[in-house]
């Protein structure tokens, strides 16, 4: 087949269609999970659902309830659940060979060449790709190793509000103290600088950027800045778990300038924000800034196959054989899926679609915010959108967002949360979400916002 079918043919036709949820089959599966699965399981605590089937931007649970999915497995399913164009190649490859470590295969080399087509302009034709383990954390670990290997340094600069993963190095550059508190000590010499967040910092965009860059430059250049031997700085071009915090213009370029002035490796974590999520291939493309190293995972695996990659400028390709390794760096099924996903996005112009649909979603949210003191900020790019909620005193209100999420779930729309205080409603739908599905979903979301915030106002 060509890179089809079109996006309006991918979904369950009856979405949303829910009865009283969770239903009996779902409750039984949730109870069995509680009995035999790890106590670290988290997501069913927020939304009690057991999945059975998925198509496009819609899913069904074990009781046949059908939902519109505005979450996409934390931004994994950019081309939708069970995309037939991707799965055609998956089935073909799975029947031939699945695991090849790092021996050459057509699947591996095709994905590397495909990535070269879409990486930032400053990396095109002059990059190398190292595949790692199955998670984004593995790509982060590789980027840390690469920075240290090339500079001889060991210090790292990260940012407040950051999330980079759950392995030791990735947790070290993550800022959530509760998340990593039980596992210290982690990597030494990691300093977290402020990330420009004009709304939360009560600054103009220019002031927020200037403040952040002054702090970063002081960490690197001040003789008493505290970080003796910096190797690199790692940053999300748009913070995801931190609350879809979208830095003002000038921040990424400022980091690029500081890195160049001080021979520090600049790493962009595009694990959640990349692969077309923001209406550009990479969130950093909006600013036209090229990193030395870029990490990718999540949507890289096409339809949910575990695959990560670290893409870096060829000047940093100083590793010798075996200096970075990983058993699952030859997941050729995931590689075929990744190539097909990129082709599908290109063929159906999903970057433009994400920009247009994201504009529509933000417009609906801004209408809902008009006169609503609780919906305080709306931000993001493309289909990477956050809506921040506060109480009547202007403080973060995670309970409001939890109530909105539950209201949407009970009416057939799946949406998740983010932010340091859990007070950001996070929109991460598949890029194949149609305008009709988006309109239906936003009717539910806006109704939820109106109902929940009105009740909060009355009880304040």
């Amino acid at each position: 087949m060509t890179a089809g079918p079109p996006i309006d043919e991918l979904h369950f036709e009856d979405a949303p269609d829910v009865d009283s949820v969770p239903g009996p089959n779902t409750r039984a599966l949730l109870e069995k999970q509680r009995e035999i699965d790890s106590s670290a399981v988290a997501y069913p605590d927020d939304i009690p659902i057991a999945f059975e089937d998925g198509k496009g931007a819609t899913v069904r649970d074990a009781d046949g309830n059908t939902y519109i999915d505005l979450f996409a497995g934390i931004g994994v399913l950019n081309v939708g659940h069970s995309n037939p164009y991707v799965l055609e190649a998956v089935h073909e490859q799975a029947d031939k060979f699945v695991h090849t470590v790092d021996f050459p295969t057509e699947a591996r080399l095709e994905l590397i060449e495909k990535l070269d087509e879409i990486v930032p302009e400053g990396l095109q034709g002059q990059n190398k790709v190292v595949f790692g383990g199955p998670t984004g954390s593995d790509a982060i670990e590789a980027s840390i190793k690469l920075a240290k290997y090339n500079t001889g340094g060991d210090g790292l600069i990260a940012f407040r509000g950051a999330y980079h993963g759950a392995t030791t190095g990735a947790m070290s550059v993550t800022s959530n103290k509760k998340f990593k508190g039980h596992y210290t000590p982690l990597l030494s010499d990691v300093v977290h600088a402020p990330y420009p967040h004009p709304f939360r910092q009560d600054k103009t965009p220019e002031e927020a950027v200037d403040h952040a860059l002054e702090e970063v430059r002081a960490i690197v250049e001040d003789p008493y800045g505290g970080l003796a031997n910096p190797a690199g700085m790692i940053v999300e071009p748009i913070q995801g778990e931190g609350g879809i915090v979208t830095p003002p213009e000038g921040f990424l370029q400022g980091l690029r300038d500081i890195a160049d002035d001080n021979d520090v490796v600049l790493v962009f974590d595009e694990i959640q924000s990349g692969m077309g999520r923001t209406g550009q291939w990479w969130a950093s493309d909006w600013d036209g800034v090229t990193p030395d190293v870029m990490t990718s995972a999540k949507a890289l695996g096409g339809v949910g196959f575990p695959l990560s990659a670290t893409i870096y400028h060829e000047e940093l390709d100083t590793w010798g054989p075996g200096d970075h390794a990983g058993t699952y760096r030859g997941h050729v099924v995931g590689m075929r899926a990744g190539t097909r996903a990129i082709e599908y996005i290109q063929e159906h112009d999903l970057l433009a679609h994400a920009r247009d649909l994201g504009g529509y979603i933000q417009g609906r949210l801004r209408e809902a915010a008009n006169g609503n003191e609780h919906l305080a900020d709306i931000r993001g790019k493309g289909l990477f959108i956050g809506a921040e909620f506060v109480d009547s005193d202007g403080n973060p209100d995670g309970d409001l967002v939890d109530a909105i999420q539950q209201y949407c779930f009970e009416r057939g729309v799946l949406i998740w949360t983010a932010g340091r205080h859990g007070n950001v409603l996070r929109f991460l739908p598949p890029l194949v979400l149609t305008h009709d599905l988006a309109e239906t979903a936003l009717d539910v979301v806006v109704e939820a916002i109106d109902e929940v915030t009105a009740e909060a106002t009355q009880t304040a």
Side-chain angles (χ1 to χ4, degrees):
M1 66 173 73
T2 59
I7 65 171
D8 58 359
E9 296 180 11
L10 296 178
H11 321 279
F12 291 124
E13 294 182 358
D14 59 339
D17 182 17
V18 299
D19 201 350
S20 177
V21 293
N25 294 333
T26 293
R27 290 196 301 270
L29 288 168
L30 289 168
E31 180 58 32
K32 185 173 183 179
Q33 182 180 45
R34 281 190 288 270
E35 292 174 356
I36 67 175
D37 207 340
S38 167
S39 59
V41 167
Y43 285 98
D45 292 343
D46 295 318
I47 293 295
I49 189 170
F51 293 111
E52 179 74 20
D53 200 1
K55 291 181 66 176
T58 59
V59 295
R60 281 190 178 142
D61 69 13
D63 296 282
N65 297 298
T66 310
Y67 305 81
I68 300 174
D69 182 8
L70 301 183
F71 180 54
I74 328 181
V76 167
L77 301 157
N78 284 15
V79 296
H81 297 267
S82 306
N83 185 295
Y85 180 69
V86 178
L87 289 181
E88 177 192 53
V90 165
H91 295 310
E92 178 186 88
Q93 182 62 54
D95 287 339
K96 294 168 61 179
F97 222 101
V98 173
H99 174 69
T100 63
V101 196
D102 60 6
F103 291 101
T105 61
E106 288 187 3
R108 181 189 191 88
L109 302 180
E110 284 175 359
L111 180 55
I112 292 173
E113 290 176 337
K114 203 66 182 173
L115 286 170
D116 185 61
E117 290 182 19
I118 67 172
V119 295
E121 184 177 352
L123 288 175
Q124 288 180 4
Q126 47 188 343
N127 68 83
K128 299 291 183 179
V129 178
V130 60
F131 294 105
T135 74
S137 298
D138 297 297
I140 296 296
E141 299 289 347
S143 71
I144 292 171
K145 291 168 65 177
L146 190 66
K148 291 185 174 185
Y149 195 97
N150 276 274
T151 64
D154 54 27
L156 297 168
I157 301 162
F159 292 86
R160 296 170 202 160
Y163 178 82
H164 297 291
T167 51
T168 297
M171 275 199 296
S172 300
V173 291
T174 291
S175 65
N176 186 330
K177 293 186 286 187
K178 181 180 178 181
F179 177 71
K180 62 186 184 179
H182 292 292
Y183 310 111
T184 55
L186 299 170
L187 296 184
S188 60
D189 277 345
V190 177
V191 178
H192 286 84
Y195 193 94
H197 189 352
F199 171 73
R200 187 51 57 194
Q201 294 166 344
D202 194 25
K203 297 178 183 292
T204 68
E206 294 79 11
E207 289 171 342
V209 169
D210 289 345
H211 172 65
L213 293 177
E214 285 171 6
E215 289 292 316
V216 174
R217 192 169 287 278
I219 291 167
V220 178
E221 297 180 357
D222 187 334
Y224 281 72
L227 192 62
N229 196 14
M233 64 177 76
I234 181 166
V235 63
E236 297 162 275
I238 296 176
Q239 288 189 338
E241 298 296 322
I244 321 299
V245 182
T246 309
E249 184 179 357
F251 175 61
L252 296 184
Q253 183 59 57
L255 296 182
R256 177 72 276 171
D257 294 341
I258 294 169
D260 289 342
D261 291 344
N262 294 278
D263 296 323
V264 171
V265 174
L266 179 61
V267 181
F268 285 170
D269 178 349
E270 293 268 14
I271 290 165
Q272 189 168 153
S273 60
M275 291 293 289
R277 167 59 49 197
T278 68
Q280 301 284 0
W281 281 113
W282 314 99
S284 55
D285 287 341
W286 283 99
D287 291 83
V289 180
T290 300
D292 302 305
V293 183
M294 186 170 67
T295 60
S296 181
K298 288 192 182 292
L300 180 65
V303 287
F305 286 98
L307 183 66
S308 72
T310 305
I311 307 163
Y312 56 95
H313 196 283
E314 61 187 6
E315 290 181 354
L316 299 178
D317 195 37
T318 56
W319 275 330
D323 281 339
H324 181 66
T327 299
Y328 285 101
R329 64 190 191 274
H331 188 355
V332 289
V333 175
M335 292 169 179
R336 287 292 304 277
T339 298
R340 280 291 181 102
I342 293 170
E343 291 174 350
Y344 190 88
I345 292 170
Q346 291 172 324
E347 179 74 17
H348 296 274
D349 199 12
L350 293 188
L351 301 184
H353 178 68
R355 295 192 296 271
D356 292 342
L357 199 59
Y360 167 76
I361 292 172
Q362 289 208 40
R364 289 291 304 272
L365 292 171
R366 294 190 193 285
E367 289 175 6
N370 187 24
N372 189 326
E373 65 175 351
H374 295 286
L375 179 44
D377 194 34
I378 298 155
R379 53 185 180 259
K381 297 282 190 182
L383 292 175
F384 198 29
I385 298 168
E388 183 159 354
F389 289 81
V390 299
D391 63 19
S392 56
D393 296 320
N395 299 313
D397 196 335
D399 291 339
L400 267 181
V401 174
D402 289 342
I404 292 168
Q405 181 187 47
Q406 182 67 26
Y407 187 104
C408 292
F409 165 61
E410 292 172 357
R411 289 156 182 80
V413 174
L414 301 181
I415 192 165
W416 235 263
T417 65
R420 302 182 193 187
H421 307 282
N423 67 314
V424 176
L425 200 64
R426 173 167 42 165
F427 294 78
L428 279 175
L431 306 185
V432 298
L433 182 74
T434 64
H435 193 282
D436 285 347
L437 284 171
E439 185 175 358
T440 300
L442 264 293
D443 287 344
V444 174
V445 172
V446 169
E447 182 181 276
I449 292 170
D450 291 343
E451 292 283 339
V452 171
T453 58
E455 183 178 347
T457 300
Q458 291 171 3
T459 57

